[in-house]
C-alpha cells in the first residue's frame, strides 16, 4: 500500500520489450489498484543528462535511416520538452535542430549509427557533442525519477488505459497492410 503509482517505459523501443514491460506494469496496476505513469523512452534517455546546459537530443536507431528522437533542455533542474518524441529520418531531425542554433548533446543507441553523418555532414556547421558511453543507454533510475515528477504533475493513466507507444507500426503489420493492398487491387 506504500506504492502511489507504477512508472513504466511507454515506448518507443523493442516491440517485445515494450509488450513485456507494459504487461507487467498493467498486471501490477490492476492487482494493486494503482495508476501507471507512462514515461516516453526518449524522455527517460534525455533525463540521463540531468542539469545539462546544452540541448539534449536522444536518438534511437529505428532502422531504414530513421530515428526515434526528441529535443529537450533543462531549465535548472526541470526537463522541458521542446519537441515530443518522434520517428523521423535523420535528415529531418537535423533540420529541426538547426532551427534552435544551439549546442546539442546526442545520446542513445542511434549515436554509433549516425555519429559521423551528424558530425561531418548533417550538422557540420553546428557545435555538437556526444554523451559518454555510460549515459547512452536507457536506465530504470531515469524512468523512476521522471515517474515521480510526472506523478506529481498528475500525468497518470489507469492500468486498463495504458498502451505502449510504438511511434510506428511493426514490420509484420506493414507487410500485412501491403499484402492486403495488393489483394484489393487484384495483383
Amino acid at each position: 500500500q506504500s506504492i502511489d503509482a507504477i512508472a513504466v517505459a511507454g515506448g518507443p523501443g523493442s516491440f517485445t520489450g515494450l509488450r513485456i514491460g507494459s504487461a507487467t506494469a498493467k498486471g501490477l496496476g490492476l492487482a494493486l489498484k494503482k495508476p501507471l505513469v507512462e514515461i516516453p523512452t526518449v524522455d527517460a534517455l534525455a533525463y540521463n543528462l540531468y542539469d545539462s546546459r546544452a540541448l539534449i537530443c536522444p536518438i534511437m536507431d529505428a532502422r531504414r535511416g530513421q530515428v526515434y528522437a526528441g529535443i529537450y533542455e533543462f531549465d535548472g533542474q526541470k526537463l522541458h520538452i521542446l519537441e515530443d518524441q518522434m520517428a523521423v529520418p535523420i535528415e529531418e531531425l537535423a533540420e529541426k535542430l538547426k532551427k534552435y542554433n544551439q549546442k546539442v548533446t546526442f545520446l542513445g543507441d542511434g549515436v554509433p549509427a549516425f555519429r559521423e553523418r551528424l558530425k561531418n555532414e548533417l550538422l557540420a556547421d553546428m557545435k555538437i557533442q556526444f554523451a559518454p558511453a555510460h549515459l547512452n543507454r536507457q536506465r530504470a533510475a531515469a524512468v523512476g525519477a521522471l515517474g515521480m515528477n510526472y506523478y506529481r504533475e498528475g500525468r497518470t493513466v489507469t492500468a486498463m488505459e495504458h498502451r505502449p507507444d510504438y511511434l510506428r507500426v511493426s514490420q509484420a503489420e506493414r507487410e500485412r497492410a501491403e499484402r492486403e493492398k495488393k489483394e484489393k487491387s487484384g495483383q
Side-chain angles (χ1 to χ4, degrees), residues 88-99 106 118 122-123 126:
V88 293
I90 191 67
E91 297 84 2
E92 185 177 325
L93 177 63
E95 290 305 312
K96 288 178 180 286
L97 287 164
K98 286 178 184 178
K99 292 177 185 171
F106 289 94
L118 288 166
L122 298 172
L123 298 174
M126 285 182 60

Side-chain angles (χ1 to χ4, degrees), residues 4-147:
D4 294 318
I6 298 161
V8 59
S14 146
F15 285 90
T16 302
L18 289 174
R19 287 183 182 120
I20 291 168
S22 289
T24 302
K26 285 175 77 103
L28 289 169
L30 288 168
L32 299 172
K33 297 177 177 53
K34 299 293 180 177
L36 272 54
V37 182
E38 300 168 322
I39 308 299
T41 306
V42 291
D43 289 19
L45 272 169
Y47 208 72
N48 284 351
L49 299 183
Y50 183 83
D51 207 24
S52 172
R53 303 285 184 255
L55 287 182
I56 302 167
C57 187
I59 54 175
M60 297 170 60
D61 190 358
R63 308 287 187 252
R64 298 187 178 120
Q66 290 197 333
V67 290
Y68 299 124
I71 302 172
Y72 304 84
E73 70 180 354
F74 276 95
D75 179 11
Q77 298 175 345
K78 173 101 170 107
L79 180 67
H80 288 283
I81 301 168
L82 301 177
E83 303 261 350
D84 276 323
Q85 66 179 7
M86 59 191 114
V88 293
I90 191 67
E91 297 84 2
E92 185 177 325
L93 177 63
E95 290 305 312
K96 288 178 180 286
L97 287 164
K98 286 178 184 178
K99 292 177 185 171
Y100 290 96
N101 196 30
Q102 293 182 47
K103 180 177 170 183
V104 180
T105 302
F106 289 94
L107 74 158
D109 70 8
V111 167
F114 296 104
R115 177 186 209 117
E116 293 308 312
R117 280 197 69 206
L118 288 166
K119 190 168 63 170
N120 299 323
E121 179 188 334
L122 298 172
L123 298 174
D125 55 339
M126 285 182 60
K127 180 149 176 63
I128 65 172
Q129 60 190 18
F130 300 92
H134 71 282
L135 297 176
N136 260 336
R137 300 287 179 218
Q138 299 171 43
R139 300 165 78 191
V143 172
L146 271 177

